[in-house]
Coordinates of all heavy atoms in Angstrom, one line a residue:
M29 N 3.3 -12.9 -8.7 CA 2.2 -12.0 -8.6 C 2.7 -10.6 -8.1 O 3.5 -10.6 -7.2 CB 1.1 -12.5 -7.6 CG -0.1 -11.6 -7.4 SD -1.3 -12.2 -6.3 CE -2.2 -13.3 -7.4
S30 N 2.3 -9.6 -8.7 CA 2.7 -8.2 -8.2 C 1.7 -7.6 -7.3 O 0.6 -7.9 -7.3 CB 2.9 -7.3 -9.5 OG 1.7 -7.1 -10.1
L31 N 2.2 -6.6 -6.5 CA 1.4 -5.9 -5.6 C 0.6 -4.8 -6.2 O 1.1 -4.1 -7.0 CB 2.2 -5.3 -4.5 CG 2.8 -6.3 -3.4 CD1 3.9 -5.7 -2.7 CD2 1.7 -6.8 -2.5
A32 N -0.7 -4.7 -5.9 CA -1.5 -3.6 -6.3 C -1.0 -2.3 -5.7 O -0.4 -2.4 -4.6 CB -3.0 -3.8 -5.9
K33 N -1.2 -1.2 -6.3 CA -0.7 0.1 -5.8 C -1.6 0.4 -4.6 O -2.6 -0.2 -4.3 CB -0.9 1.2 -6.8 CG -0.1 0.9 -8.1 CD 0.7 2.1 -8.4 CE 1.4 1.9 -9.7 NZ 2.8 1.9 -9.5
C34 N -1.1 1.4 -3.8 CA -1.8 1.8 -2.6 C -3.2 2.4 -3.0 O -3.3 3.2 -3.9 CB -1.0 2.9 -1.9 SG -1.9 3.6 -0.5
P35 N -4.3 1.9 -2.4 CA -5.6 2.4 -2.8 C -5.9 3.8 -2.3 O -6.8 4.4 -2.8 CB -6.5 1.4 -2.1 CG -5.8 0.9 -0.9 CD -4.3 0.9 -1.3
F36 N -5.1 4.3 -1.4 CA -5.3 5.7 -0.9 C -4.6 6.8 -1.7 O -5.2 7.8 -1.9 CB -4.9 5.7 0.6 CG -5.6 4.7 1.4 CD1 -4.9 3.6 1.8 CD2 -7.0 4.8 1.7 CE1 -5.6 2.6 2.6 CE2 -7.6 3.8 2.4 CZ -6.9 2.7 2.9
C37 N -3.4 6.5 -2.1 CA -2.6 7.5 -2.8 C -2.1 7.1 -4.2 O -1.6 7.9 -4.9 CB -1.4 8.0 -2.0 SG -0.1 6.7 -1.8
G38 N -2.3 5.8 -4.5 CA -1.8 5.3 -5.8 C -0.3 5.1 -5.8 O 0.3 4.8 -6.9
G39 N 0.4 5.2 -4.7 CA 1.8 5.0 -4.6 C 2.2 3.5 -4.7 O 1.4 2.6 -4.5
T40 N 3.5 3.3 -5.0 CA 4.0 2.0 -5.1 C 4.3 1.4 -3.7 O 4.8 2.1 -2.8 CB 5.3 2.0 -5.9 OG1 5.0 2.5 -7.2 CG2 5.9 0.6 -6.1
V41 N 3.9 0.1 -3.5 CA 4.2 -0.5 -2.2 C 5.1 -1.7 -2.5 O 5.2 -2.2 -3.6 CB 2.9 -1.0 -1.6 CG1 2.0 0.1 -1.2 CG2 2.1 -2.0 -2.4
R42 N 5.7 -2.2 -1.4 CA 6.6 -3.3 -1.6 C 6.5 -4.3 -0.4 O 6.0 -3.9 0.7 CB 8.1 -2.9 -1.7 CG 8.6 -2.1 -0.5 CD 10.0 -1.5 -0.8 NE 10.4 -0.7 0.3 CZ 11.2 -1.1 1.3 NH1 11.7 -2.3 1.3 NH2 11.5 -0.3 2.3
L43 N 7.0 -5.5 -0.6 CA 6.9 -6.5 0.5 C 8.2 -6.4 1.3 O 9.3 -6.2 0.8 CB 6.9 -7.9 -0.2 CG 6.7 -9.1 0.7 CD1 5.3 -9.1 1.3 CD2 6.9 -10.4 -0.1
V44 N 8.0 -6.5 2.6 CA 9.2 -6.4 3.6 C 9.0 -7.6 4.5 O 8.0 -8.2 4.6 CB 9.2 -5.1 4.4 CG1 9.6 -4.0 3.4 CG2 8.0 -4.9 5.1
S45 N 10.1 -8.0 5.2 CA 10.1 -9.1 6.1 C 10.8 -8.7 7.4 O 11.7 -7.8 7.4 CB 10.7 -10.3 5.6 OG 12.1 -10.2 5.3
D46 N 10.4 -9.3 8.5 CA 11.0 -9.1 9.8 C 11.2 -10.5 10.4 O 10.4 -11.4 10.3 CB 10.0 -8.3 10.6 CG 10.5 -8.0 12.0 OD1 11.7 -7.8 12.2 OD2 9.7 -7.9 12.9
R47 N 12.3 -10.7 11.0 CA 12.7 -12.0 11.6 C 12.8 -11.8 13.1 O 13.5 -11.0 13.6 CB 14.0 -12.5 11.0 CG 14.3 -13.9 11.5 CD 14.9 -14.6 10.3 NE 15.2 -16.0 10.8 CZ 14.4 -17.0 10.7 NH1 13.2 -16.8 10.3 NH2 14.7 -18.2 11.1
D48 N 12.0 -12.7 13.8 CA 12.1 -12.8 15.3 C 12.6 -14.2 15.6 O 11.9 -15.1 15.2 CB 10.7 -12.5 15.8 CG 10.7 -12.5 17.4 OD1 11.3 -13.4 18.0 OD2 10.1 -11.5 17.9
F49 N 13.6 -14.2 16.4 CA 14.2 -15.6 16.7 C 13.2 -16.5 17.4 O 13.3 -17.7 17.4 CB 15.5 -15.4 17.4 CG 15.4 -15.0 18.9 CD1 15.3 -15.9 19.9 CD2 15.3 -13.6 19.2 CE1 15.2 -15.5 21.2 CE2 15.2 -13.2 20.5 CZ 15.1 -14.2 21.5
R50 N 12.2 -15.9 18.1 CA 11.3 -16.7 18.9 C 10.1 -17.2 18.0 O 9.6 -18.3 18.2 CB 10.7 -15.9 20.1 CG 11.7 -15.6 21.1 CD 11.2 -14.5 22.0 NE 11.0 -13.3 21.2 CZ 10.6 -12.2 21.6 NH1 10.5 -12.0 22.9 NH2 10.5 -11.1 20.8
C51 N 9.7 -16.4 17.1 CA 8.5 -16.6 16.3 C 8.7 -16.9 14.8 O 7.8 -17.3 14.2 CB 7.5 -15.4 16.4 SG 7.1 -15.0 18.1
G52 N 9.9 -16.7 14.3 CA 10.1 -16.9 12.9 C 10.0 -15.6 12.1 O 10.1 -14.5 12.7
S53 N 9.7 -15.7 10.8 CA 9.5 -14.5 10.0 C 8.1 -14.1 9.9 O 7.2 -14.9 10.0 CB 10.1 -14.9 8.6 OG 11.4 -15.0 8.6
R54 N 7.9 -12.8 9.6 CA 6.6 -12.3 9.3 C 6.8 -11.3 8.1 O 7.9 -10.8 8.0 CB 5.9 -11.7 10.4 CG 6.4 -10.4 10.9 CD 5.6 -9.8 12.0 NE 6.3 -8.7 12.5 CZ 5.7 -7.8 13.3 NH1 4.5 -7.9 13.6 NH2 6.4 -6.7 13.7
Y55 N 5.8 -11.1 7.4 CA 5.9 -10.3 6.2 C 4.9 -9.1 6.3 O 3.9 -9.2 7.0 CB 5.5 -11.1 4.9 CG 6.5 -12.2 4.7 CD1 6.3 -13.5 5.2 CD2 7.7 -12.0 4.1 CE1 7.2 -14.5 5.0 CE2 8.7 -13.0 3.9 CZ 8.4 -14.3 4.4 OH 9.3 -15.3 4.3
G56 N 5.3 -8.0 5.7 CA 4.5 -6.8 5.7 C 4.5 -6.1 4.4 O 5.3 -6.5 3.5
I57 N 3.7 -5.1 4.3 CA 3.6 -4.3 3.1 C 3.8 -2.9 3.5 O 3.1 -2.4 4.4 CB 2.3 -4.5 2.3 CG1 2.2 -5.9 1.8 CG2 2.1 -3.5 1.2 CD1 1.0 -6.3 1.1
T58 N 4.7 -2.2 2.8 CA 5.0 -0.8 3.1 C 5.1 0.0 1.8 O 5.3 -0.5 0.8 CB 6.2 -0.7 4.0 OG1 6.4 0.7 4.5 CG2 7.5 -1.0 3.2
H59 N 5.0 1.3 1.9 CA 5.2 2.2 0.8 C 6.7 2.2 0.3 O 7.6 2.1 1.2 CB 4.8 3.6 1.1 CG 3.4 3.9 0.9 ND1 2.4 3.9 1.8 CD2 2.7 4.3 -0.3 CE1 1.3 4.2 1.3 NE2 1.4 4.5 0.1
E60 N 6.9 2.3 -1.0 CA 8.2 2.4 -1.5 C 8.9 3.7 -0.9 O 10.0 3.7 -0.5 CB 8.2 2.5 -3.0 CG 9.5 2.3 -3.7 CD 10.1 1.0 -3.6 OE1 9.3 0.0 -3.6 OE2 11.3 0.9 -3.5
Q61 N 8.1 4.8 -1.0 CA 8.6 6.0 -0.3 C 7.7 6.1 1.0 O 6.5 6.2 0.9 CB 8.3 7.2 -1.2 CG 9.0 7.2 -2.5 CD 10.5 7.2 -2.4 OE1 11.0 7.9 -1.5 NE2 11.3 6.4 -3.1
P62 N 8.3 6.2 2.1 CA 7.5 6.2 3.4 C 6.5 7.3 3.4 O 6.7 8.4 3.0 CB 8.6 6.4 4.5 CG 9.9 6.0 3.8 CD 9.7 6.2 2.4
R63 N 5.3 6.9 3.9 CA 4.2 7.8 4.0 C 3.6 7.8 5.5 O 3.4 6.7 6.0 CB 3.0 7.4 3.1 CG 3.4 7.3 1.7 CD 2.8 8.5 0.9 NE 2.9 8.3 -0.5 CZ 3.7 9.0 -1.3 NH1 4.3 10.0 -0.8 NH2 3.7 8.8 -2.6
P64 N 3.4 8.9 6.1 CA 2.9 8.9 7.5 C 1.4 8.3 7.5 O 1.0 7.9 8.5 CB 3.0 10.3 7.9 CG 3.0 11.1 6.7 CD 3.6 10.3 5.6
L65 N 0.7 8.4 6.4 CA -0.7 8.0 6.4 C -0.9 6.5 6.5 O -1.8 6.0 7.1 CB -1.3 8.5 5.1 CG -2.8 8.8 5.2 CD1 -3.0 10.3 5.3 CD2 -3.6 8.2 4.1
L66 N 0.0 5.8 5.9 CA -0.1 4.3 5.9 C 1.2 3.7 6.4 O 2.2 3.6 5.7 CB -0.4 3.8 4.5 CG -0.7 2.3 4.4 CD1 -2.0 1.9 5.1 CD2 -0.7 1.9 2.9
P67 N 1.2 3.2 7.6 CA 2.4 2.6 8.2 C 2.5 1.2 7.6 O 1.7 0.7 6.8 CB 2.1 2.5 9.7 CG 0.6 2.4 9.7 CD 0.1 3.2 8.6
T68 N 3.6 0.5 7.9 CA 3.8 -0.9 7.4 C 2.7 -1.7 8.0 O 2.4 -1.7 9.2 CB 5.1 -1.4 7.9 OG1 6.2 -0.6 7.3 CG2 5.3 -2.8 7.4
L69 N 2.0 -2.5 7.1 CA 1.0 -3.4 7.5 C 1.6 -4.8 7.6 O 2.0 -5.3 6.6 CB -0.2 -3.4 6.5 CG -0.8 -2.0 6.3 CD1 -1.8 -2.1 5.1 CD2 -1.5 -1.5 7.5
W70 N 1.6 -5.3 8.8 CA 2.2 -6.6 9.1 C 1.2 -7.7 9.1 O 0.1 -7.6 9.7 CB 3.0 -6.6 10.4 CG 4.1 -5.7 10.4 CD1 4.2 -4.5 10.9 CD2 5.4 -6.0 9.8 NE1 5.5 -4.0 10.7 CE2 6.2 -4.9 10.0 CE3 5.9 -7.1 9.1 CZ2 7.5 -4.8 9.5 CZ3 7.2 -7.0 8.6 CH2 8.0 -5.8 8.8
A71 N 1.5 -8.9 8.5 CA 0.7 -10.1 8.6 C 1.1 -10.8 9.9 O 2.1 -10.5 10.5 CB 1.0 -11.0 7.4
A72 N 0.2 -11.7 10.3 CA 0.5 -12.5 11.5 C 1.7 -13.4 11.2 O 1.9 -13.8 10.1 CB -0.7 -13.3 11.9
Y73 N 2.4 -13.8 12.3 CA 3.4 -14.8 12.1 C 2.8 -16.1 11.5 O 1.7 -16.4 11.9 CB 4.1 -15.1 13.5 CG 5.0 -14.0 13.9 CD1 4.6 -13.1 14.9 CD2 6.3 -13.9 13.4 CE1 5.4 -12.1 15.3 CE2 7.1 -12.9 13.8 CZ 6.7 -12.0 14.8 OH 7.5 -11.0 15.2
G74 N 3.5 -16.7 10.6 CA 3.0 -18.0 10.0 C 2.3 -17.7 8.7 O 2.0 -18.7 8.0
V75 N 1.9 -16.5 8.4 CA 1.3 -16.2 7.1 C 2.4 -16.0 6.1 O 3.3 -15.1 6.3 CB 0.4 -14.9 7.2 CG1 -0.1 -14.5 5.8 CG2 -0.7 -15.1 8.1
N76 N 2.5 -16.8 5.0 CA 3.6 -16.7 4.1 C 3.4 -15.5 3.2 O 2.4 -14.9 3.1 CB 3.8 -18.0 3.3 CG 2.7 -18.3 2.4 OD1 2.0 -17.5 1.8 ND2 2.4 -19.6 2.3
A77 N 4.5 -15.1 2.5 CA 4.6 -13.9 1.6 C 3.5 -14.0 0.5 O 2.9 -13.0 0.2 CB 6.0 -13.7 1.1
D78 N 3.4 -15.2 -0.1 CA 2.5 -15.4 -1.2 C 1.0 -15.1 -0.8 O 0.3 -14.5 -1.5 CB 2.5 -16.8 -1.8 CG 3.9 -17.1 -2.5 OD1 4.5 -16.1 -2.9 OD2 4.2 -18.3 -2.7
T79 N 0.7 -15.5 0.4 CA -0.7 -15.3 0.9 C -0.9 -13.8 1.1 O -2.0 -13.2 0.7 CB -0.9 -16.0 2.2 OG1 -0.8 -17.4 1.9 CG2 -2.3 -15.8 2.7
L80 N 0.0 -13.1 1.7 CA -0.1 -11.7 1.9 C -0.2 -10.9 0.6 O -1.1 -10.0 0.5 CB 1.1 -11.2 2.8 CG 1.1 -9.7 3.1 CD1 -0.2 -9.3 3.9 CD2 2.3 -9.3 3.9
V81 N 0.6 -11.2 -0.3 CA 0.6 -10.5 -1.6 C -0.7 -10.8 -2.3 O -1.4 -9.9 -2.9 CB 1.8 -11.0 -2.5 CG1 1.6 -10.5 -4.0 CG2 3.1 -10.5 -1.9
R82 N -1.2 -12.0 -2.3 CA -2.5 -12.4 -3.0 C -3.6 -11.6 -2.3 O -4.5 -11.0 -3.0 CB -2.7 -13.9 -2.9 CG -3.9 -14.3 -3.7 CD -4.2 -15.8 -3.8 NE -4.6 -16.2 -2.4 CZ -3.9 -17.0 -1.6 NH1 -2.7 -17.4 -2.0 NH2 -4.3 -17.4 -0.4
C83 N -3.7 -11.6 -1.0 CA -4.8 -10.9 -0.3 C -4.8 -9.4 -0.6 O -5.8 -8.8 -0.8 CB -4.7 -11.2 1.2 SG -5.1 -12.9 1.7
W84 N -3.6 -8.8 -0.5 CA -3.5 -7.4 -0.7 C -3.9 -7.0 -2.2 O -4.7 -6.1 -2.4 CB -2.0 -6.9 -0.5 CG -1.7 -5.5 -1.0 CD1 -1.4 -5.1 -2.2 CD2 -1.8 -4.3 -0.1 NE1 -1.3 -3.7 -2.2 CE2 -1.5 -3.2 -1.0 CE3 -2.1 -4.1 1.2 CZ2 -1.5 -1.9 -0.5 CZ3 -2.1 -2.8 1.7 CH2 -1.8 -1.7 0.8
S85 N -3.4 -7.8 -3.1 CA -3.6 -7.5 -4.5 C -5.1 -7.7 -4.9 O -5.7 -7.0 -5.7 CB -2.7 -8.3 -5.4 OG -1.4 -7.8 -5.2
Q86 N -5.7 -8.7 -4.3 CA -7.1 -9.0 -4.6 C -8.0 -7.8 -4.1 O -8.8 -7.3 -4.8 CB -7.6 -10.3 -4.1 CG -7.1 -11.5 -4.9 CD -7.5 -12.8 -4.2 OE1 -7.9 -12.9 -3.1 NE2 -7.3 -13.9 -5.0
R87 N -7.8 -7.5 -2.8 CA -8.6 -6.5 -2.2 C -8.4 -5.1 -2.8 O -9.3 -4.4 -3.1 CB -8.4 -6.5 -0.7 CG -9.2 -5.4 0.0 CD -9.3 -5.5 1.4 NE -10.3 -4.5 1.9 CZ -11.1 -4.7 2.8 NH1 -11.2 -5.9 3.4 NH2 -11.9 -3.8 3.2
Y88 N -7.1 -4.7 -2.8 CA -6.8 -3.3 -3.2 C -6.7 -3.2 -4.7 O -6.9 -2.1 -5.2 CB -5.6 -2.8 -2.5 CG -5.9 -2.7 -1.0 CD1 -5.2 -3.5 -0.1 CD2 -6.9 -1.9 -0.5 CE1 -5.5 -3.4 1.3 CE2 -7.3 -1.9 0.8 CZ -6.5 -2.6 1.7 OH -6.8 -2.6 3.0
G89 N -6.5 -4.3 -5.4 CA -6.6 -4.2 -6.9 C -8.0 -3.9 -7.3 O -8.2 -3.1 -8.2
V90 N -9.0 -4.4 -6.7 CA -10.4 -4.1 -7.0 C -10.7 -2.6 -6.6 O -11.3 -1.9 -7.4 CB -11.4 -5.0 -6.2 CG1 -12.8 -4.6 -6.3 CG2 -11.2 -6.5 -6.7
A91 N -10.2 -2.2 -5.5 CA -10.5 -0.8 -5.1 C -9.8 0.2 -6.1 O -10.4 1.2 -6.5 CB -9.9 -0.5 -3.7
N92 N -8.6 -0.2 -6.6 CA -7.9 0.7 -7.6 C -8.7 0.7 -8.9 O -8.8 1.7 -9.5 CB -6.5 0.2 -7.8 CG -5.6 0.5 -6.6 OD1 -5.9 1.4 -5.8 ND2 -4.6 -0.3 -6.4
R93 N -9.2 -0.5 -9.3 CA -10.0 -0.5 -10.5 C -11.3 0.3 -10.4 O -11.7 1.0 -11.4 CB -10.4 -2.0 -10.9 CG -9.2 -2.7 -11.6 CD -9.6 -4.0 -12.1 NE -8.6 -4.9 -11.5 CZ -8.8 -6.0 -10.7 NH1 -10.0 -6.3 -10.5 NH2 -7.9 -6.7 -10.3
L94 N -12.0 0.2 -9.3 CA -13.2 1.0 -9.1 C -12.8 2.5 -9.1 O -13.5 3.3 -9.7 CB -13.8 0.7 -7.7 CG -14.5 -0.6 -7.6 CD1 -14.9 -1.0 -6.2 CD2 -15.7 -0.7 -8.5
R95 N -11.7 2.9 -8.5 CA -11.3 4.3 -8.5 C -11.0 4.8 -10.0 O -11.4 5.9 -10.3 CB -10.1 4.5 -7.6 CG -9.9 6.0 -7.2 CD -8.8 6.1 -6.2 NE -8.9 5.3 -5.0 CZ -9.8 5.6 -4.0 NH1 -10.6 6.6 -4.1 NH2 -9.8 4.8 -2.9
A96 N -10.4 3.9 -10.7 CA -10.1 4.3 -12.1 C -11.4 4.5 -13.0 O -11.4 5.2 -13.9 CB -9.2 3.2 -12.8
L97 N -12.5 3.8 -12.5 CA -13.8 3.9 -13.2 C -14.6 5.1 -12.7 O -15.7 5.3 -13.1 CB -14.6 2.6 -13.1 CG -14.0 1.4 -13.8 CD1 -14.7 0.2 -13.4 CD2 -14.0 1.6 -15.3
G98 N -14.0 5.9 -11.7 CA -14.7 7.0 -11.2 C -15.6 6.7 -10.0 O -16.4 7.5 -9.6
E99 N -15.5 5.5 -9.5 CA -16.3 5.0 -8.3 C -15.5 5.3 -7.0 O -15.3 4.3 -6.3 CB -16.7 3.6 -8.5 CG -17.6 3.3 -9.7 CD -19.0 3.9 -9.5 OE1 -19.4 4.2 -8.4 OE2 -19.6 4.1 -10.6
D100 N -15.2 6.5 -6.8 CA -14.3 6.8 -5.6 C -15.0 6.4 -4.3 O -14.4 5.9 -3.4 CB -13.9 8.3 -5.6 CG -12.9 8.6 -6.7 OD1 -12.3 7.7 -7.2 OD2 -12.8 9.8 -7.0
D101 N -16.3 6.7 -4.2 CA -17.0 6.4 -2.9 C -17.0 4.9 -2.6 O -16.7 4.5 -1.5 CB -18.4 6.9 -3.0 CG -19.1 6.7 -1.6 OD1 -18.6 7.1 -0.6 OD2 -20.2 6.1 -1.7
L102 N -17.3 4.1 -3.6 CA -17.3 2.7 -3.4 C -15.8 2.2 -3.2 O -15.6 1.3 -2.3 CB -17.8 2.0 -4.7 CG -18.1 0.5 -4.6 CD1 -19.0 0.1 -3.4 CD2 -18.7 0.0 -5.9
A103 N -14.9 2.7 -3.8 CA -13.5 2.3 -3.6 C -13.0 2.7 -2.2 O -12.4 1.9 -1.5 CB -12.5 3.0 -4.6
D104 N -13.4 3.8 -1.7 CA -13.1 4.2 -0.3 C -13.7 3.3 0.7 O -13.1 2.9 1.7 CB -13.6 5.6 0.0 CG -12.7 6.7 -0.7 OD1 -11.6 6.4 -1.2 OD2 -13.2 7.9 -0.8
R105 N -14.9 2.9 0.5 CA -15.6 1.9 1.4 C -14.9 0.6 1.3 O -14.8 -0.1 2.4 CB -17.1 1.8 1.1 CG -17.9 3.0 1.5 CD -19.3 2.8 1.4 NE -19.7 3.1 0.0 CZ -20.8 2.7 -0.6 NH1 -21.6 2.0 0.0 NH2 -21.0 3.1 -1.8
L106 N -14.5 0.1 0.2 CA -13.8 -1.2 0.1 C -12.4 -1.1 0.7 O -12.0 -2.1 1.4 CB -13.7 -1.6 -1.4 CG -13.0 -2.9 -1.7 CD1 -13.8 -4.0 -1.0 CD2 -12.9 -3.2 -3.1
A107 N -11.7 0.0 0.5 CA -10.3 0.1 1.1 C -10.4 0.3 2.6 O -9.7 -0.2 3.3 CB -9.6 1.3 0.5

């Protein structure tokens, strides 16, 4: 499954991981090109990468589709 684009700027995002020897790995989503507006969004420890990708793409994929249809206000409220 691929990641939906950023709902705020339309930029490309990517999956990143962080490893903590006490807690294990956690996954996050960040912009391909760093943006001050949207920092890396981290999932809780124990949430696997597939779950994070699915949740991001479902929520923000809908917002991006609404924006493409000219429903910017509704997309902003969803994002």
Side-chain angles (χ1 to χ4, degrees):
M29 180 179 278
S30 64
L31 286 164
K33 300 233 182 244
C34 174
F36 304 105
C37 71
T40 302
V41 295
R42 64 187 173 97
L43 186 68
V44 293
S45 65
D46 181 31
R47 184 140 181 89
D48 183 313
F49 72 94
R50 296 165 296 189
C51 302
S53 292
R54 70 178 174 163
Y55 298 94
I57 295 179
T58 191
H59 271 94
E60 191 70 32
Q61 299 296 321
R63 304 252 192 244
L65 208 106
L66 185 66
T68 301
L69 301 172
W70 293 101
Y73 286 102
V75 174
N76 65 36
D78 292 341
T79 300
L80 180 59
V81 168
R82 187 178 69 249
C83 290
W84 171 274
S85 294
Q86 284 175 347
R87 177 165 187 141
Y88 296 118
V90 170
N92 290 337
R93 281 186 233 123
L94 288 169
R95 199 172 305 285
L97 294 172
E99 296 291 340
D100 290 342
D101 183 54
L102 188 55
D104 287 345
R105 284 188 277 159
L106 182 61

